[in-house]
Amino acid sequence: ANQARVASLQDNINRPTRTISYPKRADGKPVYTSEFFGENVFSLHQIAKALPKPAYASFLKQMRGRQALDKATADAIAHAVRIWAMDRGATHFTHWFQPQTGSTAEKHDAFLTLKSNFTSNGEEVTAIDAFSGSQLLQAEPDASSFPSGGMRTTFEARGYTVWDTTSPMFIQEGPHGTSVLYIPSVFISYNGDALDEKTVLLRSTSAIAKSCSELLNLIDPVPVGAQPKVSHVYTTLGTEQEYFLIDRSLYSLRPDLKHTGRTLIGNLPPKHQQMDDHYFGRVPSKVMATMSEAELELFRLGVPIKTRHNEVAPQQFECAPIFEEASLAVDHNLLTMDVLSKVAHKNKLKVLFHEKPFKGVNGSGKHCNWSMSTDRGENLLDPTVKPETNYRFLLVLVSVLHAVQQHGGLMRASIASSSNEHRLGACEAPPMIVSVFLGEHLTEVLNSIEEGRPIKNFSVPEIQTIKFGGTALDVKVASLPSISRDLTDRNRTSPFAFTGNKFEFRAVGSKQSPAFPVTILNAAVASSLQDVTAALREQMGDKPYPSDADKVAVIKKFIASTKAVRFEGDGYSDAWIVEAEKRGLPNIKTSPEAFEQLLNPLHSDMLTKLGIFTASELQSRHLILQERYAKDLLVEATTLSTLLASQVLPAVFEYRSSLAQAISLLKGIDAEDATPELSALRALTPVVKELQAAVDNLNSAVHKMHEVGDDPVAEAKYACAHVQPAMTEARAVADKLEVLTADKYYPIPHYSELLWF
Ligand code: ADP
Ligand code: MG
């Protein structure tokens, strides 16, 4: 292997695993996780302590109504949070927000302020620490460098970040024992347009809360004049985060990983994931060190990370939190990604969130487990023991089916990106067609209702436990306890699957913020709940509330109308593609096409009617997505072309010249002696020429993309149709050369080194 690769492999081998000290008591015993969980969060409890009772009551009201805070309350909170944060080393504060870049943004300001006193001796300047209510509530970062999709022209580039009181403030530790106070915020324009992911997410959670409460209060009526039984409905979200962790020094030798997050060339090693020996295997110690250090920080930040394990591909891992209210869960997922990156860096590792960092092995997703819950904590997607007569559950269930039926295309758009494009439809990733998997039991429940017959085969107590040791053959396991079984089996191939008491949106990419897909899902279901409520009202006529028969009639109606989106079979199979087309389900293959769904009146009318997006917000988002796609591809193409021209080809030339030298030396002895080297050289020649041609072709595709003009939509389309294939073609040739070139000359780490370090 070449010197840089050898040096970095040696460095990796000789490097001790980093150790940190987990919190300990004075007597040396460990502090329990539950005791330091959330210690870096300024909780509601602390706000309560800081405010007089009536002020706290009004804060709660404002928080739930999502109104602006009054100045006196804001000042009191600002003061309390500054003291709390400064006592924990904070020197700065920042509004922390989510522009449409796929990541978070922050700009730090010191608490330090100068105060002038004018006395008879002239001006006296004193340094003080201060943080006012208005600084807490609002900041004005220069918005002109964030994507706006043409919504802001530069002369009105103002944007505001405003504290989102539904998400608590927290501190993050920095270097030298200092820290920074983070204020979760929304980001809006001078005119109040959403420039970020959070604003629309909050709008969507309000919309679904409203539609869902209306349905629940209609089917579960309260006496006239009494308070509605359900006053609020939350969407709940648990994000399973998949990622790769690789050695950082090897990573730094791969310009493609550095600039694009994925490898643009490279062959699989002979052994990769075929043996299924990585999934749930023992976590490698360097990785474990990173995971648990990240968890320690996340626990302090109040992020309830619950699960960690090896994933299917070599060097692929997953973590998952306990689910929370959706917008908090989104913040927590973004924090998780942030903390993982930071801690991996300290451990000399690099975390890759890209959906497909390595061709040929599994990519990474972010399964978004989603449900709705009432303010009394009842999960609305809990089928309970007898789903067939649980009409509330069934009405909510058919609402979700109806949402996918109506807006599956929009859901597809919400998970589209240049990076997810490489994952979807390949290597155990869900296909591009959005369908719903319900499992055998619920399918039978719906079929029996549709056919008006009793439900068969599902005596629930039996299917809910699996008994060990019932038969003579099982004697050995008779000591194991009986275990309970979920109401659903699993189908890994479905993009949107019912898993026990929630839906799992699995097509979501590992790199993207869950905010947009969850916003779209919330919106689609909010609208669908309205349709179901309207159908119920129509069915019940002038009765004050619907009878069970009315409910069944409506459930039946929606079962019938949503049949096309239900699919229990193998979503990876070619037969499904044919079948889906027969059913009229959209099969949107490329991202630029998917983004167009945002402007399709079928979806855009729904989004604007619910007040989740304005028409101009949608137009701008559409442009931002197209533009990002085009830019992603441009960066990839130029990275690849440079890598091939400046590293791969020169390395092959060097190898060729060493062969040529050997040939001329050997010929001096006997022409026959030179034939093996000669044939190695001759095998290379046509492939080298092919690669040169492929690089030229790639460069000309990039060049032509610039000529398309200043139109993001046309650029994205062009990139998808011409730049992407030119890259694929160049890669195929480069991968042939990787095998033909002596390892010693090959300039960048192979997959075999990156994936097995
Ligand atoms: P699996 O890999 O088996 O799908 P995990 O335990 O990795 O399961 O992840 C399941 C995720 O679903 C967890 O984050 C969990 O908190 C979340 N979850 C469970 N119930 C709900 C619910 N009602 N709403 C939203 N998310 C939920
Ligand atoms: Mg899962």
Side-chain angles (χ1 to χ4, degrees):
N2 86 345
Q3 273 178 354
R5 277 163 48 213
V6 171
S8 93
L9 286 167
Q10 274 169 349
D11 172 53
N12 180 310
I13 291 163
N14 297 330
R15 192 189 313 139
T17 299
R18 176 182 147 92
T19 50
I20 52 149
S21 50
Y22 229 67
K24 289 253 179 346
R25 292 178 213 282
D27 64 3
K29 286 191 180 156
V31 181
Y32 300 160
T33 308
S34 58
E35 293 172 76
F36 61 84
F37 182 77
E39 72 178 13
N40 286 346
V41 178
F42 192 69
S43 63
L44 267 184
H45 178 66
Q46 269 141 328
I47 295 184
K49 270 202 302 199
L51 296 178
K53 261 203 172 131
Y56 180 63
S58 90
F59 171 75
L60 283 187
K61 247 196 263 159
Q62 284 157 333
M63 187 178 109
R64 301 217 167 107
R66 306 217 155 104
Q67 302 156 5
L69 273 176
D70 67 74
K71 193 171 174 324
T73 310
D75 279 336
I77 298 174
H79 178 76
V81 77
R82 176 174 65 80
I83 302 296
W84 173 83
M86 283 176 57
D87 284 345
R88 282 157 183 78
T91 53
H92 289 68
F93 66 93
T94 181
H95 279 211
W96 180 66
F97 59 103
Q98 300 164 23
Q100 294 171 63
T101 54
S103 45
T104 56
E106 54 192 75
K107 171 191 160 220
H108 302 186
D109 277 302
F111 289 124
L112 177 77
T113 308
L114 295 180
K115 200 173 151 187
S116 296
N117 271 330
F118 294 93
T119 64
S120 49
N121 298 333
E123 187 183 355
E124 260 176 34
V125 178
T126 13
I128 57 160
D129 295 294
F131 181 49
S132 69
S134 49
Q135 285 172 306
L136 163 64
L137 288 179
Q138 187 177 319
E140 192 192 331
D142 181 359
S144 54
S145 299
F146 292 106
S148 77
M151 208 156 59
R152 274 169 301 108
T153 40
T154 30
F155 62 84
E156 49 178 33
R158 265 177 228 246
Y160 295 98
T161 52
V162 181
W163 179 27
D164 166 20
T165 54
T166 63
S167 184
M169 292 180 267
F170 55 89
I171 51 169
Q172 268 199 297
E173 287 155 30
H176 324 305
T178 63
S179 58
V180 176
L181 172 68
Y182 281 74
I183 306 162
S185 299
V186 298
F187 181 41
I188 53 177
S189 78
Y190 184 71
N191 300 319
D193 300 309
L195 296 175
D196 66 344
E197 306 289 2
K198 192 71 174 289
T199 307
V200 287
L201 174 65
L202 291 175
R203 288 179 191 157
S204 79
T205 53
S206 308
I208 202 169
K210 191 159 161 273
S211 308
C212 197
S213 310
E214 203 180 314
L215 172 69
L216 297 186
N217 288 318
L218 178 69
I219 59 172
D220 196 8
V222 285
V224 184
Q227 284 289 318
K229 279 195 186 161
V230 175
S231 55
H232 196 65
V233 173
Y234 301 92
T235 41
T236 50
L237 176 66
T239 50
E240 295 165 55
Q241 178 70 53
E242 294 179 335
Y243 58 93
F244 282 80
L245 260 184
I246 61 170
D247 178 70
R248 184 149 64 90
S249 49
L250 288 171
Y251 162 86
S252 67
L253 294 173
R254 297 266 329 201
D256 48 358
L257 277 176
K258 266 169 50 181
H259 299 304
T260 73
R262 73 180 180 107
T263 52
L264 300 173
I265 54 176
N267 288 293
L268 276 181
K271 177 177 185 286
H272 44 95
Q273 65 182 39
Q274 317 90 314
M275 315 288 194
D276 292 324
D277 51 356
H278 191 255
Y279 190 58
F280 281 17
R282 194 184 57 78
V283 179
S285 53
K286 276 179 194 170
V287 174
M288 190 64 162
T290 303
M291 282 179 170
S292 51
E293 186 177 345
E295 282 164 6
L296 177 63
E297 186 165 342
L298 288 166
F299 290 152
R300 288 187 161 133
L301 286 167
V303 182
I305 295 293
K306 178 89 174 163
T307 309
R308 62 183 183 212
H309 62 81
N310 284 12
E311 257 302 330
V312 170
Q315 293 308 127
Q316 193 189 26
F317 307 93
E318 177 181 310
C319 66
I322 299 169
F323 70 91
E324 299 177 285
E325 194 274 317
S327 78
L328 186 61
V330 167
D331 285 4
H332 281 173
N333 174 252
L334 298 173
L335 269 180
T336 302
M337 292 170 74
D338 227 44
V339 169
L340 269 173
S341 305
K342 213 168 61 183
V343 173
H345 193 86
K346 286 188 200 162
N347 284 275
K348 304 269 194 301
L349 299 177
K350 179 71 195 177
V351 59
L352 305 175
F353 288 118
H354 193 286
E355 284 82 359
K356 198 76 177 179
F358 301 99
K359 191 179 166 207
V361 291
N362 279 18
S364 301
K366 170 146 41 204
H367 297 176
C368 285
N369 293 269
W370 174 97
S371 185
M372 285 172 279
S373 159
T374 68
D375 47 1
R376 286 170 299 187
E378 299 160 290
N379 178 359
L380 294 171
L381 285 170
D382 181 355
T384 61
V385 259
K386 261 190 174 311
E388 57 273 32
T389 51
N390 184 342
Y391 300 124
R392 184 180 77 178
F393 166 73
L394 289 170
L395 285 165
V396 172
L397 183 71
V398 295
S399 299
V400 177
L401 292 175
H402 181 55
V404 181
Q405 167 85 32
Q406 296 292 300
H407 301 295
L410 187 61
M411 287 168 70
R412 166 72 181 90
S414 76
I415 49 110
S417 66
S418 73
S419 49
N420 211 10
E421 207 161 82
H422 295 286
R423 164 181 170 253
L424 294 176
C427 291
E428 299 191 37
M432 320 268 185
I433 307 161
V434 180
S435 65
V436 187
F437 170 83
L438 287 181
E440 204 185 348
H441 187 195
L442 284 186
T443 300
E444 168 57 13
V445 169
L446 296 195
N447 288 348
S448 70
I449 295 173
E450 189 186 11
E451 291 156 25
R453 57 167 174 79
I455 176 169
K456 62 183 176 200
N457 285 341
F458 289 97
S459 120
V460 171
E462 241 172 76
I463 83 143
Q464 278 197 320
T465 46
I466 301 172
K467 291 204 181 76
F468 290 106
T471 66
L473 282 176
D474 279 350
V475 177
K476 283 207 203 86
V477 291
S479 62
L480 289 173
S482 292
I483 58 165
S484 68
R485 188 176 117 167
D486 275 348
L487 275 182
T488 48
D489 35 16
R490 287 172 175 257
N491 182 331
R492 295 173 64 93
T493 70
S494 177
F496 194 67
F498 188 79
T499 47
N501 57 6
K502 60 191 170 9
F503 276 97
E504 194 171 328
F505 192 5
R506 296 172 161 174
V508 180
S510 50
K511 192 173 94 172
Q512 73 178 122
S513 162
F516 187 44
V518 171
T519 300
I520 293 304
L521 181 57
N522 285 346
V525 176
S527 159
S528 174
L529 284 161
Q530 289 181 351
D531 292 348
V532 170
T533 308
L536 260 180
R537 287 194 196 282
E538 196 184 313
Q539 183 72 30
M540 71 197 211
D542 10 303
K543 278 179 282 178
Y545 54 86
S547 65
D548 282 355
D550 295 333
K551 292 175 197 167
V552 172
V554 168
I555 291 164
K556 222 168 152 168
K557 175 182 151 167
F558 282 96
I559 292 173
S561 69
T562 60
K563 259 183 135 164
V565 293
R566 275 163 53 198
F567 181 62
E568 301 288 303
D570 179 2
Y572 301 159
S573 69
D574 293 335
W576 170 228
I577 296 176
V578 179
E579 165 71 17
E581 194 177 334
K582 267 196 226 145
R583 294 189 187 186
L585 296 181
N587 180 5
I588 305 169
K589 294 194 193 73
T590 70
S591 303
E593 266 177 281
F595 300 142
E596 297 296 334
Q597 296 288 316
L598 263 67
L599 304 181
N600 181 338
L602 199 66
H603 310 306
S604 59
D605 287 352
M606 176 275 286
L607 292 169
T608 51
K609 222 175 90 194
L610 286 170
I612 294 170
F613 287 89
T614 64
S616 68
E617 284 169 352
L618 273 178
Q619 272 156 12
S620 100
R621 184 169 287 257
H622 167 251
L623 281 184
I624 290 171
L625 288 167
Q626 298 278 20
E627 199 173 272
R628 196 195 304 162
Y629 179 88
K631 283 181 182 166
D632 279 349
L633 259 63
L634 197 57
V635 170
E636 285 193 349
T638 40
T639 304
L640 179 58
S641 141
T642 313
L643 173 62
L644 295 176
S646 69
Q647 291 206 48
V648 175
L649 280 169
V652 180
F653 293 155
E654 230 181 299
Y655 174 45
R656 279 164 59 83
S657 104
S658 86
L659 283 173
Q661 272 173 26
I663 290 163
S664 75
L665 284 176
L666 289 163
K667 270 193 174 152
I669 305 167
D670 180 348
E672 184 52 33
D673 283 339
T675 48
E677 280 78 2
L678 202 56
S679 68
L681 184 74
R682 293 212 166 124
L684 274 171
T685 307
V687 191
V688 174
K689 283 187 188 157
E690 219 186 316
L691 187 63
Q692 283 177 322
V695 172
D696 287 346
N697 184 33
L698 181 59
N699 289 340
S700 95
V702 168
H703 188 74
K704 281 192 197 129
M705 183 173 159
H706 289 302
E707 285 172 359
V708 166
D710 211 10
D711 173 7
V713 180
E715 276 182 338
K717 257 196 202 136
Y718 185 87
C720 183
H722 302 285
V723 177
Q724 184 64 62
M727 286 174 61
T728 309
E729 195 189 308
R731 176 186 191 137
V733 186
D735 288 353
K736 279 196 256 174
L737 274 183
E738 182 186 5
V739 184
L740 294 175
T741 307
D743 184 51
K744 174 177 153 190
Y745 295 93
Y746 201 69
I748 58 171
H750 300 292
Y751 273 24
S752 58
E753 291 157 334
L754 291 165
L755 289 173
W756 302 104
F757 64 82

